[in-house]
């Protein structure tokens, strides 16, 4: 059987910037993958290439065997490719419930707004926003908006869920809740690619970690091995510090 | 607005317009016909401007196209009401084709693109004199019958177009299309990401905003029995219709009817007395809207009820 998602030589150039360079990647069904990399490494751009927001300058994106390199975002959504936005994108004047209904109606399986309403309510309960259902999305706090993004993408009945820093800005107890939630989503059979800066989250959830640096994939493997990889340490800390840490590898992995 | 108030409002509006002949006054019937004409145009604009949030100034392009298409069909011997249907069809096809072009633009650029459509079609109507009579205009076959019959006939014809536009509005509002258009109005990129086929939906909204204008324009041409490029493709009309919807309440079912009748009646009552202030009044309404009535009259009603 073909991989769920397969990228071959995917590159994206913005003017003079190579945001993503020749990325090769296979994602199997049921995986939870952490995608890390310093600021500006190209993580969000990679998500945009997978979900049809940007079109790759070179290479191909395959999803469930089909070539989807040229797909439009709404086609990606209907195929089961859902993503959350790093910078949250609610429909501000709609209620929280209506925001989630949109996902259910247009990408999920709901045939009518009435069915979507029921469905959306369940997703809101799941992310802990049930009590806010009828309030306008614009008045939610940032952590609640992150959860709204998550509920909206769950309502899209995804096969592959790309979470772009859903936990940024959450406090410790909120993060514990989020970890729980992501685990339960994975348990439902959704494949997850998780973009995170918080190593605690990446290490506790991921079965496999990818590291992007200046647009290129420089590491791909089990979390521990990746974190101890000298090239990864170098990408994060710079060559001089990496050389110093190389003498104390255990300390480097804690960084 | 609570839905029973909305239904009562729509019912009273329709009854009020339909009852105009009871006055026995042809002037009143004429005003009621204008109220219905602008009501149909305002409901049309509401699809693209109200629900989808695209500031369209293409209304006069659709009205003008519909009036020429209807007049030419009628003069070629097609029965009148069938001509209106054909005019609506021609306008819908044109709206779909033009929509694919101008709906690539957003915000101010779309507004300018849509107003350019009015100018371009107006120029074509002027230049293609072999077909349209050019700047001299085009006479339209007159409906046989006395003035009383004709006045009533066109009142009810316009009202029928309003009812069709109303039915379409309610269906759109309740269904996927309306929901998707509201998503587009608020955040088009996010709408695309949750699976809304934004290009298709915007084109559908543009077609809906054209088709009833085309029918109303054709009916108008038959009513006045003469059309010319500057009247058919009127810039004043293309500005006035959005103002009417914003005045009543954009993205609602009753708002366009409320706003269009309010402005027509305001113009008619003040028009007779202060002819020279006509444009100034429209200007004052626009300013008042921007500063005091962001949600239109219906929004105002909602605010009053909340604070009470
Ligand atoms: N639409 C765009 N137009 C031009 N350049 C872009 C665009 N999107 C991203 N870039 C550039 O591509 C590079 C990668 O950006 P990207 O947002 O993918 O990084 P990231 O890994 O998500 O960073 P962060 O951790 O800060 O979110 C950056 O140099 C960025 O400036
Ligand atoms: Mg990013």
């Amino acid at each position: 059987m073909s991989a769920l998602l397969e990228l071959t030589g995917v590159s994206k150039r913005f003017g003079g910037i190579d945001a993503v360079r020749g990325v090769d990647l296979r994602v199997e069904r049921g995986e939870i993958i952490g995608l890390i990399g310093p600021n500006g490494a190209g993580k969000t751009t990679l998500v945009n290439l997978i979900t049809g927001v940007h079109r790759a300058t070179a290479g191909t994106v395959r999803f469930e065997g089909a070539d989807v390199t040229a797909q439009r975002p709404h086609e990606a959504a209907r195929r089961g490719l859902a993503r959350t936005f790093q910078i949250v994108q609610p429909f501000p004047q709609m209620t929280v419930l209506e925001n989630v209904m949109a996902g259910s109606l247009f990408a999920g399986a709901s045939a009518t707004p009435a069915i979507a309403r029921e469905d959306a309510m369940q997703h809101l309960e799941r992310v802990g926003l049930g009590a806010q259902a009828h309030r306008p999305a614009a008045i939610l706090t940032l952590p609640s908006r992150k959860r709204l993004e998550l509920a909206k993408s769950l309502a899209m009945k995804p096969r592959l869920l790309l979470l772009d820093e859903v936990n940024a800005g959450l406090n410790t107890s909120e993060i514990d809740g989020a970890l729980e939630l992501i685990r339960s989503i994975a348990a439902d059979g959704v494949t997850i690619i998780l973009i995170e800066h918080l190593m605690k989250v990446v290490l506790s959830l991921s079965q496999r970690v990818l590291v992007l640096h200046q647009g290129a994939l420089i590491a791909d493997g089990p979390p521990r091995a990746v974190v101890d990889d000298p090239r990864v340490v170098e990408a994060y800390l710079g060559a001089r510090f990496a050389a110093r840490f190389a003498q104390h590898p255990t300390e480097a992995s804690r960084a | 607005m609570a839905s029973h108030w909305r239904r009562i409002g729509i019912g009273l509006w329709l009854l009020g317009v339909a009852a105009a002949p009871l006055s026995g006054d042809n002037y009143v019937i004429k005003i009621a016909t204008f109220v219905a004409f602008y009501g149909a145009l305002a409901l049309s604009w509401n699809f693209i401007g109200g629900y989808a949030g695209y500031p369209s100034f293409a209304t006069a392009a659709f009205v003008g196209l519909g009036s020429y298409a209807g007049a030419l069909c009628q003069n070629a011997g097609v029965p009148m009401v069938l001509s209106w249907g054909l005019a609506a069809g021609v306008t819908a096809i044109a709206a779909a084709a033009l929509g694919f072009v101008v709906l690539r633009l957003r915000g101010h650029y779309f507004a300018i693109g849509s107003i350019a459509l009015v100018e371009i079609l107006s120029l074509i109507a002027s230049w293609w004199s072999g077909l349209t009579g050019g700047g001299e205009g085009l006479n339209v076959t007159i409906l046989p019958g006395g003035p009383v019959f004709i006045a009533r006939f066109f009142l009810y014809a316009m009202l029928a177009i309003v009812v069709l536009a109303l039915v379409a509005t309610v269906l759109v509002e309740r269904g996927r299309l309306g929901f998707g258009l509201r998503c587009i109005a608020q955040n088009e990129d996010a709408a695309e990401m949750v699976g809304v086929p934004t290009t298709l939906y915007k084109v559908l909204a543009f077609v809906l905003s054209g088709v009833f204008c085309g029918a109303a324009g054709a009916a108008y041409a038959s009513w006045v029995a003469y059309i010319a490029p500057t009247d058919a493709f009127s810039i004043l009309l293309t500005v006035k219709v959005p103002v009417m919807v914003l005045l009543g309440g954009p993205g609602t079912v009753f708002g366009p009817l409320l706003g269009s009748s309010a402005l027509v009646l305001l113009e008619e009552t003040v028009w007779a007395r202060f002819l020279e202030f006509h444009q100034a009044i429209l200007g004052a309404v626009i300013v008042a809207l921007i500063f005091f009535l962001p949600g239109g009259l219906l929004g105002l009603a909602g605010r009053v009820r909340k604070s009470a």
Side-chain angles (χ1 to χ4, degrees), chain A residues 5-7 10 43-56 60-63 68-86 153 156 158-164 193 195, chain B residues 189-196:
Chain A
L5 177 74
E6 189 169 7
L7 309 191
V10 169
K43 304 180 295 293
T44 299
T45 305
L46 196 62
V47 170
N48 286 337
L49 290 170
I50 294 170
T51 54
V53 174
H54 295 323
R55 169 110 185 240
T60 55
V61 181
R62 294 183 158 270
F63 184 66
V68 298
T69 317
Q71 71 188 335
R72 305 260 289 112
H74 74 267
E75 293 166 336
R78 289 174 176 199
R79 282 200 174 95
L81 277 161
R83 61 89 64 89
T84 63
F85 284 92
Q86 180 174 1
S153 43
M156 291 163 66
R159 284 167 208 273
L160 175 63
L161 181 57
L162 300 123
L163 301 174
D164 197 351
I193 298 182
I195 297 181
Chain B
D189 293 325
E192 181 71 36
M193 293 303 306
V194 295
V196 179

Side-chain angles (χ1 to χ4, degrees), chain B residues 49-63:
Chain B
Y51 289 106
Y54 266 68
S56 169
F57 289 105
T59 299
F62 299 141
V63 171

Side-chain angles (χ1 to χ4, degrees), chain A residues 51 53 72-74 77-78 83 85 89-94 98 101-102 105-107 110-111 113 156, chain B residues 174-177 179-184 186-199 201:
Chain A
T51 54
V53 174
R72 305 260 289 112
H74 74 267
R78 289 174 176 199
R83 61 89 64 89
F85 284 92
Q89 301 271 359
F91 301 115
Q93 282 139 50
M94 288 186 178
E98 286 171 322
M101 279 171 69
L105 192 59
F106 292 104
S110 299
M156 291 163 66
Chain B
R174 290 195 184 150
R176 298 169 75 89
L177 180 57
F179 202 112
L181 292 177
R182 285 201 294 139
C183 291
I184 291 170
Q186 293 186 34
N187 188 335
E188 190 165 338
D189 293 325
E192 181 71 36
M193 293 303 306
V194 295
V196 179
T198 53
T199 307
Y201 274 29

Side-chain angles (χ1 to χ4, degrees), chain A residues 18 31 37 40 60 73 120-121 130 132 134 138 152 155 159 165 194 196 214 226 232 243:
Chain A
D18 285 306
E31 282 191 288
T60 55
M121 201 62 216
Q132 321 259 34
H134 301 290
K152 202 157 70 170
R159 284 167 208 273
E165 304 198 16
L194 181 77
E196 257 313 333
Q214 294 176 350
V226 164
V232 174

